[in-house]
Each structure stands twice: as structure tokens, then as C-alpha cells.
Amino acid sequence: MSTATIVSLPDQSTARIPRMNFMTKENGLLSWLLTGDHKRIAMLYLVSITFFFFIGGALAGLIRLELLTPQSDLMATDTYNKVFSMHGIIMIFFFLVPSVPATIGNFLIPIMVGAKDLALPKINLLSWYLYMAAGMLGLYAMATGGVDTGWTFTTPLSTHYLNTNVVTTGLAIFIAGFSSIFTGLNFIVTIHKMRCPGMTWFRLPLFVWSNYAASILMVLGTPVLAITLVLVVLERVAGIGVFDPTKGGDPLLFQHLFWFYSHPAVYIMILPGMGVISETVSTFSRKRVFGYTAVAFSSVAIAVFGFFVWAHHMFIMGISNYSMLVFSLLTMLVAVPSAIKIFNWAFTLYKGSITFETPMLYSFGFMGLFTIGGLTGVFLASSGTDIHLTETYFIVAHFHFVMVGGMLMAFLAGVHFWWPKMTGRMYPEKISQLAALITFIGFNFTFFPQFILGTLGMPRRYATYPPEFQVLNVFSTAGATILGVGYLLPILYLTWSLKYGEIAGDNPWQATGLEWQIQSPPLTENFPAIPIMDHEAYDYEWLEGQKEKVASV
Amino acid sequence: MSDSQVVVHGAAEGAHHEHLPYQRHHFETYAQQSDATNFAMWLFLLTEVMFFGGLFTAYLIFRNWYYPAFVEASHQLDIRWGTANTAVLIISSFTMAMGVWCAEMKKQAGLVLCLVLTFILGLGFLGIKTIEYSEKIEKHHVPGFHYSIQSFVNPSSDPEVHAKNPEDKPLAYDMARHTEIYFFLYFAMTGMHALHMIIGIVLLGFMIIRARAGAYTTGHVTYVENFGLYWHFVDIIWIYLFPLLYLISRH
Amino acid sequence: MSHISPVLWQFLVKWLTNFSLYPPQASTIAPQMDALYFFMVLVSLIGLTIVILIVTAFSIMYRQKKHPIPVQIEGSTMLEATWTIIPLGLFLIMFVWGALIYFRVYTPPANAMNIYVVGKQWMWKAEHPGGQHEINSLHIPTGRAVQLTIISQDVFHSFSIPAFRVKREAIPGRYTTVWFEATTPGTYHLFCTQYCGTDHSHMIGDVVVLTPDDYKRWLAGSTSGASLAQNGERLFASLSCAACHNTRPDARGPSLANVYGSKLTLASGQSQLADEAFIRDAILNPSQHITQGYAPIMPTYQGQISEDGVIALVEYIKQLNSDYRIQQTTNTTTLLPESEGGKATPAGQKPAGQGMVKQ
């Protein structure tokens, strides 16, 4: 038995793509467009999400180009306002929220719990159609004039003072919200009701726990966004007065309703990514995650606490001092479970047997960058420093560190980690490691200067800025160029690998987990027969036992 | 929540288990399927609670701030129609529950009758709502569309309502303006509720057709049961809306 | 040195001389806030270093070549407790420290001088009590507590002075306040930091901090005529407030002498402090602010008066310290800028208003 690298395995040389798998089961466009197979739906999502990511990325490129110079010389300020608004809307609602759950989650959660599909396959397909409808509507709004409300569409600006496509975009986000709700609903029902025999809650992979926590947030939080959008549209169209102080309404009511969803939304975005990191760190240390129970409970704790901190986005908006105390304290509490997870992942490395494949590199990047992002969140949770730092580039840097340095890296880690399972082929290791490195370097160059810009006072959403901020902005744009290259490379080599990648075999990483015990790509029904789970999660001793069994045959 | 279902045939290779024709292939047993779909419906109703929750929050805040306006504006609603609607919905919940029982007992005729009754009662509810809405439209009490505060600044200009509420004093101009907020909440909350009713009635229509074809009396009652849950939920929302909107000052 | 291109040299010089990691500290609260900020930077650096060290050390020590057999470890309650309690403790310190600073920034001292700021798309209007009006700038003295009472005329804006480390949202429909005490003369940035539409990034200006003497000179030199209170008096007369709010025994409205700062009992029985926000609300939404013992007949002035006008009225009411003063207003309808305190001119019973309704 070869022990040189983790990828070179007993069956590697004889591995073939199985003739019968979920991709080959049926052919034809309709078999994809009317599928109930969670894996096909995951693939559909993967393609569409990537499409929206690049549109959002192009908009980001435009932002950085404009900000090379202090003057508003690349585009009119109105256009710039539209560009950053649409960048935010697309990236949040059409990329980050569905990214891991709808692609990797959809693909893996039934397999990880030992089921043949999600509980509600038709709802799953509906979810994708809703996402596509919302996306098309959003693109239509973009193409026919755009929207310049900012992704936060604050009232009364969005309801009374703008003449762009607010209603269309609001409707698009409303529909996308239902896509998200249905995904979360499906996950919760599946995890509760379709675990295979022997699969107790504490034998589930931590990826399932994280997605479960995120699903709770999706299901309970997104409807509040939906009703907020309805109110904004009614206010805009009919002038009902709910947010209009001259009619007795209250603009702060909008803020409360909006942030009641939008804060849990950030945990919807990050928790699935954290789930990926649990899987990759354990696999590439060949060890059970350190403190499994702590990590599982931390995920749920983040979800629960995440509902009670929304007004930390409103510290300077005239909330009472007592409200501030409550929300600031709760925000400090919600930061702790994330810290617990980081340390648990770090200690998973202890006495492990570590290799540095691309998913592991992205995971290391996640751990460092999310730590910075999370700690800078504490700067903002402390109400005193928030006064100076809020509404500046410090905030922009903070959320890009957690979302891009954190979540996007986790997404890429997951895509690379499960690429062999989903496609049956390996990605090219060297170039992907290079891409990971380029991404890491580009990211830091892009967003670290923004912390300094924010501390210096540069406000966010500014098309022009005082000249003394130029140097840092130039650094940031230079980094963005590098970052763009880092994101383009995976598209190229992953597509290439579909035809020319090495055949992966069932378990190229020699990982535990039900998904690695079945063929790559899996059968449509995942398992020939429902498995019985008789060992713990991340049971590498069990895996060794299995390998001995195979070797002795 | 129950643990995963114990599946007798586990990892037995090649055993093709018998399953009912209406059991989907990704479920191991029919019991698992109906359990899962039932749970899914409860979860969906929870999302609906959160959805309406935003409106209830707005209601709580504005009623607290503008209580006099809310009281007088609520007097514009006819409590008889409101009570009638409440009765209609409660009876329709009863007929729906009877329908579920019929499906479980495999009584097709009874099921169809109950569904039809529920359908008619649902339409009745919407009919009464239409009458109420058209009254509001006539009186220019629709926010954002030539809203008029005449009836509140000068109650005697509205003899019908004034006769029923003689102790209502004329509101100050600025407080009278806040009645628009009440009516926005009225239309938003009952409108959202009515939208859910319409969706329910349309689904009921489909169900009646399917029930007549015998689809729900073969033992596959999940659809009827889960729809029943939805219908009861819509009813309960109304049970909250009725006192909040109609009975503000009545003891 | 001659090998470096002139362009690059210029860039380096510009960068090195202008480089700073934080804005100038120009107020009394700035060093206090910076202290907390640097504490947080320190804690973050230490935390990050610990994480990086752990990950790097373990990656090297336990890489597969060196450590081919992993040791399965469940966890360690002791370690969990450690890295729960220590971060929690540090975060709680930051919470308390931050809350203290927050309270300080948003609790003006009693002797603060008040300047009104009205934000509108896309400019800041600062109104000094003495009648000086500024657009996109704010002149203040050093060594004096300055409170800003801020409101927006249209959408959310946010008034930010990074050098003072203060920021406050300008909200349509209600006043917000913030205070500071400037320490160093100079010119500092003033930004709008809440996205407010097309020219959000042009809604910037200068905060000019002057020594007390320079400030006095500036005040004298830039007065535009009537003080805010004087303008308020004009409005009070032209809007016929005195029809009800006069000093007659059978007056339909309460006398407003000394009402500012007092605790009023409202018709609902509640007791409320009559501050600027109360006075503004009473003008715009009177039916909810009726003083006990009076009928709710005051009409609303919503739509008839701008935020600037409300500010002027509030300022006027603030310095109404006697019934005599109200009497003067009733008798006198125009006021000359020079007459301080306003002597009654018995011969000059001029008609009200002179066409001035809105400011």
C-alpha cells in the first residue's frame, strides 16, 4: 500500500468513472430542467451561482477602477452609486447566501445523513427556479437603468427620493428570499426525518450541523426580509406612510425590520462555510475534529444568538443607551462561539498527519482571514469605537474579510474538496495551489488597506474622496487585480479538469464520511441500499479497518 | 423530534421492498414520508408566522403611539361583518377538519362535501371582505389614494358611524392624519391574509377535483392533512386580526 | 538616490510625509477612543499571532512526512474552557470600556453650547444661536463643549468628524445630538457617511477650529443679521402662535415662559421633560403633547414650516424666561437686529408677518 501522498491510493491506477452515475442516468435538457435529483440541482446551482459571481465581480472591478483616482472621473456619481448597489445585491443575495448551501449542501446533505434525496425534491427544484427567476429579474432591473439604493435600500431614500428600479429589484430579492427559505426548510426536514439507521445527531458530520444552523436562520429570518420588502414597495408605490415621519410613520422601523433579517443573513452566509472548514481540516489532518461537541453547539449558538444582535447596525442612529448596552453585550457573546471554532480547528492539527492540498490551503487562508475579520467585528461591537468606525471603509474591510477572506475561501475549499466526488475527476493540484496563493495575496492587498482608510475616516459609498486617501486606494485596486486573476484561474482549470482531470476513484482523500464510501460521481439514488451507521463521525480508525478489509480481499 | 426511522431491511442487498404507489422513492417507508411532509408543513407555517410578524410589530408600535387615532379609525369597521367573517372562518376550519377525518376514514363522498363546504365558506369570507373594502374605497379611506380624514376631524359628516359611536370626539388634525397609518395596517394585514385565503381556495379547488377522482381516500391523506394545517393557520391569523383591528376599544 | 525615477521619488515622499494610520486627535474624546482602539489592535494582533503560531507550528511538526500516524483526540474540556473564557473576558472588557466612551460621547454636559445642524441632499447647514449660518462648514472654538443638535430634512444622513471621533445620524423627523470639545485649532474633514443619493460623496466640508479669540471675531464678522431666537420670534408672531400662547389669564394655550427644561405634566397624566425634541414634536404633532388642563385644539404646523423654522422657534422658546418677554413679542412684530433683548416700541404697532411665513 502506497503511503507517499494522500492522493495516490490503492485503487487510483485502476479507477474509472462508473458508467452509471447521476450525470449519465438520463440525458437531454428536460431531464436536467425537470430533475428531482438533489445532485443535479446542485450542479444547476453551481453554474448559475458562478455566473452571478462573475457579474458581481465585474462590478467590483468597476468600483476599484473608479477609486483609483480621487475624482469621479471614470463614471458619473449616479452610475457609481448603481454599480456598488448592484455589486452588493448580487454578491449577497445571488452569490453568498446560496453559495455553499445550494451547491455543496444540496449535493451532500442527503448523502451525509444516509438518505437517497432531500425530503422535498420538487421544492428543491422550485427553489432553483425561483432563484433563476429572481436572478433574471435582477439582471433586467440592472440592464434597464439599475438601482442605486445601496444593498440596504434605506428608507426614505429608496421609497421617496430615487427614481431607479427599486420595485423590480425589491421583487427580485423577495423571490430570491423564498428560494432561500425553501432550501433551508428542505435541509431541516431532511436532517430531522431522514437520517439512516444508527445516524444519531452526534454522528453527523459537522458540515451537517453548520448547515442545519444556517437553515434555521434562513427559515426564520428571511420572511422578515420579505415583509420588509413588501412594505418598502407599498410605501414607494402607494405612499402609505409607514416609514414617512410627516405622515406619522417611522424611518427607524425600517431599520429594525431590515436588520432583523440582515444580521442573521451574515450568519446564513458564513455558517455553511465553517462547515466546509470542519470537513477539510479534519480530512487533511486525518483526525477527528478537536472538540466535536463544542463545534456543533457553537454552530447552533451562533444561529440563536445571531437573532438578538441586529441593532448593533444602529448604534449611532438614535437608539437609546440602554438598547445599545443590550445589543453590544449580546454581540460580544455571539463572537465567542466563532473564536471557539477557530481554536478547535487549529487544535485539530495537533498530532495529526497533515498534507497541504488546495482545500487545506484555502482552509488555512480562511482561518487567518476570518480571525482578522471576526476580531475587527469586535471593534464594531464595542459601541465606543463603533462611533468612529461605523459607516467608513473599516466596515467595508470587516465584512469583506469575513465574507471574501472567510466565506469565499471556504466555498472554494469545498468546491475543490468535493470536486472529485461530484465529477469523478481530480482538479490539477499545482495550478490550484498557485491560484489559492494568488487569491490570498491579492485579497490581503485589496482589503487590508481599507481598514486603515476606515480608521482615517474615509466614508463608504463615496465615488470621490479627499486626495490624501489615494495611496491606500491605489494599493487596494492593485490587490483587486491580483485577486481577479486568482478567481479566474479556477474557472479555467476546473472546466479543463472535467475532460482531462485524473480519475478520482471513490475516496481520493481517504476521508471518512458516507459520501466517500460511494462511487464518484454518485448514483442517482446515492446508495444502492440505505446504509447503517455503526461508527462515529471522523472515525479514522474505522477507515483503517476498512482499508485492511479491502487490501486483504 | 423522533430519531431516524428504524428501517427493517437496512442494508440488505437486492431486496426490493414493497411500497405503496404513492410513496416517493427517496423515502424508506410511507410513515417516514408523511412524517417528513407534515414536519415540513409545520416549519413552513412557522415561516409564515415570521412573515406576518413584521406587520404585527408595526401594528404594536403605531397603536402604542397613536392610540386615539386607532380607536376612532377602528370604529369605521363594521363589527357585524367582522364577527360574521370570524364565524365563517371558524366554521370553515371545522368543515376542513371534518374533511381530514373523512379522508382518514376513506369516506370519499364525505370528503368531497366537506371540501366543497370549506370552499364555499372561504369564498363567503372573501365576499364579505370585498363588501368591507368597497366601503372603505367609497369613503376614501385607502392610504395613498386620495385619503380623506374628514370622518375623523368632523365625525358628524359620517352619520352612519357617528350614530354607532356617539362618544367619538373630533380628532385634532395631526392625530387624524395618523388614521392613515391604521388603515395602511388594516389593508396590509387583511390583504396579506386575504391573499393567503385566495391561495388556499385555489388549492381547495384543485383538491376537490382530485378528491372526486378518489386521490385522497386510498390511504394517502398527507396532502389533505397538510392543507388542513395551512387552512387552520390562516384561520388563526384572522382570530388575531379580528380583535386587533375591530375590537380596539370595545370591552 | 539618483537612480530612483522622479515619479517614484515624488510618490514616496508624498506617501511618507502624509502617511498616518489614524486621524489627528483634535478633541478631548479622541485620545480616549484611540486608547480603546489601540487596546483592541493589540489584543487582535496577539490573538492573530497565537492562531497563526499554533497553525504554523502544528503544520510543521505534524506534517505527514514527519508524523505519518495521526493520534485521534476527542478534545479537551480544559482547553475549551480556556479559549471560551479568555476571549469572553477580553470582549467584555471591550464592551464595558466601549460603553463608557459611548455614554460620554452622547451625554452632553450641561454647559455645552448648542449648534443646530440640518442635513439635506446634499449639504450641511449649521446654524449658530447667534444667527450665523454656514453651509458645509462648522466654526467652533477650542476649549468649549459644543453640542450639535442634528436633523435631516429629507433622507438619512450622517454627520461625521473623524478628527473628533464623533459621528451621529441625521434622521428625518427627530433630533439627534452629539457633543465634543475641540482641543487643537486647525481645519478638519467633515463627511456625510450615510449613503443619501447622487451627491453623497460631495456632502463634505470643513470643521474650522479656532482659538476662543478668533472664534469671537468670526462670530462677529459672519453674523447674517438676526439671531436664531430673533428669527424664531418673527415666526412666532407671523404664525400667530401668540393667539393662544400669550400671558392672558384666559389663554387657550399654556404660557411658554420657562417651559424649556421644565417637567411638564401632559394631558395623559405622563410627566415629560420639555427639551428641544419635545418642543419640536409639540409644534408638529401637538395632539400628543397637550399640557394637562388645556383643550387639544392646537393645530399642527406640519408642512407649513421647515426644519430651519422649527429650529428658530425652538431657540426662541428656549430663551423665553418671563411673561414680559412674551408680552414684548405680542406687541412687537418686527425686531431690529441691533436691539438686544428687544425693547417694546409702543409707537410702532406694525402689522404682523410682513409676508414672512417660512424661513
Side-chain angles (χ1 to χ4, degrees):
Chain A
M1 221 168 6
S2 162
T3 53
T5 72
I6 209 168
V7 179
S8 140
L9 299 167
D11 67 350
Q12 196 70 26
S13 53
T14 57
R16 306 177 141 203
I17 306 267
R19 250 184 330 128
M20 186 64 121
N21 62 59
F22 80 95
M23 301 257 219
T24 59
K25 174 83 179 275
E26 289 168 288
N27 282 316
L29 190 60
L30 275 185
S31 76
W32 278 86
L33 292 181
L34 295 178
T35 183
D37 180 7
H38 63 103
K39 298 179 289 300
R40 284 192 170 198
I41 295 175
M43 297 279 108
L44 290 172
Y45 261 114
L46 185 60
V47 172
S48 20
I49 279 173
T50 309
F51 170 70
F52 282 107
F53 174 73
F54 278 101
I55 298 183
L59 292 167
L62 285 173
I63 294 174
R64 286 305 339 153
L65 273 177
E66 169 65 80
L67 292 178
L68 268 176
T69 58
Q71 303 82 15
S72 184
D73 42 12
L74 185 62
M75 55 185 101
T77 46
D78 263 334
T79 312
Y80 181 80
N81 293 341
K82 290 180 189 171
V83 168
F84 73 68
S85 300
M86 297 184 302
H87 167 73
I89 291 169
I90 290 180
M91 284 309 205
I92 291 176
F93 294 111
F94 296 105
F95 175 68
L96 282 169
V97 167
S99 61
V100 168
T103 57
I104 306 176
N106 254 335
F107 198 100
L108 287 170
I109 288 188
I111 303 176
M112 285 182 168
V113 302
K116 290 186 173 164
D117 205 320
L118 287 174
L120 306 164
K122 290 197 185 127
I123 299 279
N124 199 11
L125 184 64
L126 175 65
S127 174
W128 182 72
Y129 275 109
L130 288 175
Y131 171 83
M132 289 306 287
M136 292 302 120
L137 193 57
L139 285 180
Y140 171 76
M142 243 178 77
T144 57
V147 68
D148 58 347
T149 55
W151 85 271
T152 49
F153 45 98
T154 308
T155 59
L157 181 67
S158 59
T159 49
H160 291 92
Y161 289 88
L162 292 175
N163 56 4
T164 50
N165 293 328
V166 179
V167 172
T168 320
T169 310
L171 191 59
I173 299 175
F174 182 89
I175 298 173
F178 275 97
S179 167
S180 184
I181 291 175
F182 288 144
T183 300
L185 200 139
N186 233 334
F187 285 178
I188 295 179
V189 178
T190 307
I191 296 171
H192 271 275
K193 297 294 180 187
M194 294 178 73
R195 283 168 288 127
C196 62
M199 182 65 84
T200 62
W201 279 91
F202 289 102
R203 282 184 177 168
L204 288 168
L206 288 167
F207 179 79
V208 178
W209 275 97
S210 295
N211 276 278
Y212 179 73
S215 300
I216 296 177
L217 291 169
M218 277 190 242
V219 157
L220 294 181
T222 319
V224 180
L225 176 72
I227 194 68
T228 310
L229 285 165
V230 168
L231 291 177
V232 167
V233 168
L234 283 178
E235 175 84 331
R236 192 173 162 82
V237 163
I240 51 182
V242 61
F243 301 131
D244 183 358
T246 58
K247 290 192 172 177
D250 186 7
L252 275 181
L253 176 63
F254 170 82
Q255 296 289 323
H256 281 289
L257 287 174
F258 176 80
W259 287 114
F260 187 83
Y261 163 73
S262 299
H263 188 80
V266 314
Y267 297 121
I268 292 174
M269 295 188 260
I270 196 68
L271 277 169
M274 289 175 155
V276 171
I277 302 299
S278 289
E279 300 301 316
T280 53
V281 170
S282 64
T283 300
F284 294 101
S285 318
R286 305 189 45 70
K287 273 187 67 197
R288 182 173 167 80
V289 173
F290 191 94
Y292 172 101
T293 323
V295 176
F297 281 133
S298 293
S299 303
V300 180
I302 292 174
V304 172
F305 276 115
F307 266 116
F308 298 112
V309 298
W310 75 89
H312 66 223
H313 299 269
M314 301 164 63
F315 280 154
I316 67 164
M317 284 191 190
I319 62 173
S320 75
N321 286 353
Y322 306 105
S323 296
M324 174 284 288
L325 285 173
V326 168
F327 284 103
S328 179
L329 178 62
L330 285 166
T331 311
M332 293 301 180
L333 293 182
V334 82
V336 176
S338 297
I340 293 176
K341 285 185 163 195
I342 292 278
F343 283 115
N344 275 301
W345 290 322
F347 268 80
T348 306
L349 299 168
Y350 178 65
K351 294 207 171 159
S353 175
I354 306 168
T355 53
F356 301 96
E357 280 80 351
T358 306
M360 192 58 155
L361 292 184
Y362 277 118
S363 305
F364 284 156
F366 176 99
M367 286 169 66
L369 298 176
F370 180 79
T371 302
I372 299 177
L375 285 171
T376 52
V378 178
F379 281 65
L380 302 165
S382 169
S383 50
T385 38
D386 185 69
I387 296 175
H388 176 58
L389 298 171
T390 193
E391 296 174 349
T392 65
Y393 259 83
F394 195 91
I395 302 253
V396 175
H398 159 71
F399 65 69
H400 282 94
F401 261 82
V402 284
M403 286 298 134
V404 181
M407 184 54 206
L408 183 47
M409 288 218 150
F411 177 69
L412 288 171
V415 167
H416 284 80
F417 183 58
W418 281 292
W419 191 256
K421 181 53 56 186
M422 298 194 288
T423 62
R425 292 191 182 263
M426 297 300 293
Y427 57 84
E429 186 66 47
K430 288 290 166 223
I431 190 171
S432 61
Q433 286 174 326
L434 179 66
L437 195 60
I438 294 176
T439 307
F440 183 80
I441 294 173
F443 174 86
N444 278 301
F445 261 107
T446 311
F447 291 107
F448 201 84
Q450 294 183 7
F451 279 127
I452 305 174
L453 278 171
T455 309
L456 286 170
M458 177 171 169
R460 58 186 290 205
R461 297 170 165 166
Y462 261 35
T464 78
Y465 53 81
E468 65 261 33
F469 295 141
Q470 182 174 19
V471 172
L472 289 167
N473 271 296
V474 170
F475 264 118
S476 185
T477 304
T481 322
I482 302 173
L483 191 58
V485 171
Y487 290 140
L488 272 173
L489 285 175
I491 289 288
L492 299 174
Y493 64 70
L494 286 177
T495 317
W496 174 92
S497 78
L498 286 174
K499 190 130 190 257
Y500 301 108
E502 260 184 74
I503 311 285
D506 290 3
N507 196 351
W509 310 123
Q510 286 299 290
T512 61
L514 283 173
E515 76 268 27
W516 301 109
Q517 317 310 321
I518 57 176
Q519 62 178 61
S520 311
L523 291 167
T524 302
E525 63 269 25
N526 300 334
F527 307 98
I530 294 295
I532 297 181
M533 190 67 174
D534 53 7
H535 56 273
E536 300 304 308
Y538 313 108
D539 195 338
Y540 282 89
E541 276 141 16
W542 172 86
L543 186 66
E544 288 300 316
Q546 293 299 101
K547 281 205 303 212
E548 267 150 38
K549 261 197 238 158
V550 168
S552 64
V553 160
Chain B
M1 295 295 154
S2 61
D3 265 321
S4 63
Q5 306 289 320
V6 174
V7 176
V8 171
H9 42 270
E13 309 279 357
H16 177 72
H17 46 265
E18 294 275 324
H19 63 79
L20 303 156
Y22 42 79
Q23 178 187 325
R24 304 287 315 285
H25 269 101
H26 56 283
F27 288 108
E28 282 305 291
T29 64
Y30 181 69
Q32 188 188 40
Q33 175 177 317
S34 62
D35 200 14
T37 47
N38 196 258
F39 182 53
M41 180 48 96
W42 277 106
L43 206 51
F44 176 70
L45 294 180
L46 190 56
T47 71
E48 294 277 39
V49 169
M50 296 305 289
F51 185 67
F52 276 93
L55 289 174
F56 279 100
T57 308
Y59 173 90
L60 281 173
I61 293 173
F62 288 125
R63 171 174 162 162
N64 195 314
W65 285 359
Y66 305 135
Y67 186 72
F70 270 51
V71 168
E72 284 205 26
S74 74
H75 292 166
Q76 288 289 325
L77 301 182
D78 194 336
I79 204 177
R80 295 167 304 178
W81 287 133
T83 314
N85 258 344
T86 311
V88 163
L89 271 188
I90 292 181
I91 297 173
S92 77
S93 262
F94 175 68
T95 54
M96 189 65 221
M98 288 304 298
V100 173
W101 181 79
C102 286
E104 282 165 5
M105 295 294 121
K106 301 201 171 129
K107 293 177 188 292
Q108 187 176 347
L111 171 64
V112 175
L113 175 65
C114 288
L115 289 179
V116 169
L117 282 176
T118 312
F119 185 86
I120 293 173
L121 287 167
L123 284 179
F125 177 92
L126 289 178
I128 296 177
K129 264 264 140 304
T130 313
I131 297 174
E132 287 188 282
Y133 275 17
S134 55
E135 267 176 13
K136 305 282 167 308
I137 294 173
E138 264 174 41
K139 283 186 171 176
H140 293 287
H141 284 153
V142 181
F145 296 98
H146 307 291
Y147 185 80
S148 157
I149 58 170
Q150 241 347 79
S151 335
F152 308 107
V153 170
N154 184 10
S156 41
S157 69
D158 190 351
E160 226 186 292
V161 173
H162 190 57
K164 279 188 250 163
N165 302 286
E167 72 285 355
D168 270 355
K169 298 194 215 56
L171 285 178
Y173 181 79
D174 60 292
M175 186 53 83
R177 292 198 66 179
H178 297 326
T179 55
E180 192 170 5
I181 299 272
Y182 170 86
F183 277 106
F184 135 66
L185 281 165
Y186 169 77
F187 278 106
M189 292 166 99
T190 58
M192 210 33 95
H193 177 259
L195 181 63
H196 283 78
M197 286 285 301
I198 293 173
I199 293 173
I201 290 172
V202 167
L203 287 173
L204 259 176
F206 280 123
M207 282 174 67
I208 292 172
I209 299 172
R210 301 278 298 135
R212 294 186 68 205
Y216 304 124
T217 36
T218 56
H220 182 45
V221 300
T222 312
Y223 203 74
V224 180
E225 274 180 350
N226 288 337
F227 181 82
L229 280 178
Y230 175 80
W231 194 260
H232 295 316
F233 171 78
V234 176
D235 184 13
I236 289 181
I237 291 284
W238 177 260
I239 307 259
Y240 274 93
L241 290 185
F242 177 58
L244 287 180
L245 292 171
Y246 288 76
L247 304 179
I248 293 184
S249 63
R250 302 183 206 274
H251 303 284
Chain C
M1 285 300 158
S2 53
H3 304 300
I4 301 180
S5 91
V7 171
L8 186 57
W9 180 242
Q10 259 182 12
F11 176 82
L12 276 175
V13 166
K14 182 173 164 182
W15 189 36
L16 288 170
T17 50
N18 283 331
F19 191 69
S20 56
L21 286 171
Y22 57 93
Q25 292 177 336
S27 74
T28 52
I29 198 82
Q32 298 177 33
M33 200 184 281
D34 284 356
L36 174 56
Y37 177 81
F38 289 124
F39 172 72
M40 289 172 162
V41 171
L42 186 65
V43 169
S44 304
L45 278 175
I46 294 176
L48 182 66
T49 311
I50 291 177
V51 169
I52 293 179
L53 272 177
I54 295 178
V55 170
T56 316
F58 289 167
S59 298
I60 297 175
M61 285 160 58
Y62 302 111
R63 62 193 190 279
Q64 194 186 41
K65 279 207 189 67
K66 258 206 91 194
H67 196 258
I69 317 285
V71 176
Q72 302 300 325
I73 304 175
E74 181 62 32
S76 154
T77 316
M78 171 66 91
L79 276 175
E80 299 289 347
T82 312
W83 59 56
T84 305
I85 293 176
I86 295 183
L88 181 63
L90 288 168
F91 295 162
L92 287 177
I93 293 175
M94 296 173 192
F95 158 67
V96 171
W97 192 345
L100 285 172
I101 293 184
Y102 182 95
F103 274 112
R104 253 172 246 161
V105 171
Y106 289 136
T107 313
N111 64 347
M113 79 185 215
N114 189 42
I115 301 177
Y116 292 93
V117 172
V118 177
K120 73 184 270 297
Q121 286 175 323
W122 287 279
M123 63 170 85
W124 292 107
K125 298 188 280 191
E127 298 175 15
H128 297 251
Q132 296 80 3
H133 290 263
E134 307 187 69
I135 293 197
N136 289 338
S137 72
L138 183 66
H139 283 74
I140 49 170
T142 58
R144 183 90 197 278
V146 174
Q147 172 184 285
L148 299 179
T149 302
I150 307 169
I151 191 167
S152 163
Q153 245 176 252
D154 39 38
V155 300
F156 275 76
H157 300 275
S158 190
F159 192 84
S160 162
I161 309 174
F164 295 174
R165 312 289 188 276
V166 296
K167 188 182 282 129
R168 192 54 143 167
E169 205 81 357
I171 303 176
R174 69 180 72 181
Y175 288 137
T176 50
T177 59
V178 69
W179 81 277
F180 48 78
E181 181 181 320
T183 52
T184 321
T187 305
Y188 307 101
H189 283 302
L190 154 64
F191 293 125
C192 170
T193 55
Q194 179 63 253
Y195 175 63
C196 51
T198 308
D199 278 338
H200 168 58
S201 31
H202 292 128
M203 201 162 152
I204 68 177
D206 291 317
V207 176
V208 180
V209 179
L210 303 164
T211 61
D213 289 328
D214 285 339
Y215 179 68
K216 279 212 192 69
R217 251 174 266 138
W218 176 82
L219 278 179
S222 50
T223 179
S224 57
S227 71
L228 283 180
Q230 287 169 330
N231 278 328
E233 187 165 11
R234 247 183 276 226
L235 274 173
F236 196 86
S238 62
L239 290 170
S240 312
C241 308
C244 299
H245 291 287
N246 51 53
T247 53
R248 295 204 298 267
D250 61 338
R252 286 174 288 212
S255 163
L256 298 177
N258 293 313
V259 74
Y260 175 74
S262 69
K263 258 204 142 58
L264 286 178
T265 312
L266 299 179
S268 58
Q270 274 179 315
S271 173
Q272 193 152 355
L273 175 66
D275 56 5
E276 282 93 341
F278 177 85
I279 296 175
R280 178 178 177 280
D281 272 342
I283 296 171
L284 298 177
N285 291 304
S287 59
Q288 292 169 280
H289 300 85
I290 302 294
T291 311
Q292 203 167 56
Y294 291 91
I297 52 169
M298 174 167 167
T300 174
Y301 287 87
Q302 181 90 53
Q304 297 178 47
I305 188 169
S306 68
E307 294 298 344
D308 304 292
V310 173
I311 286 171
L313 279 173
V314 168
E315 272 299 294
Y316 167 66
I317 291 169
K318 270 166 83 165
Q319 47 86 32
L320 272 185
N321 48 17
S322 68
D323 283 351
Y324 176 63
R325 190 69 192 82
I326 301 179
Q327 197 61 33
Q328 289 177 316
T329 310
T330 328
N331 294 342
T332 317
T333 50
T334 50
L335 227 62
L336 299 167
E338 303 86 22
S339 59
E340 285 169 11
K343 296 205 174 54
T345 51
Q349 290 265 349
K350 296 193 183 98
Q354 303 251 337
M356 188 178 281
V357 176
K358 256 195 197 173
Q359 275 290 20

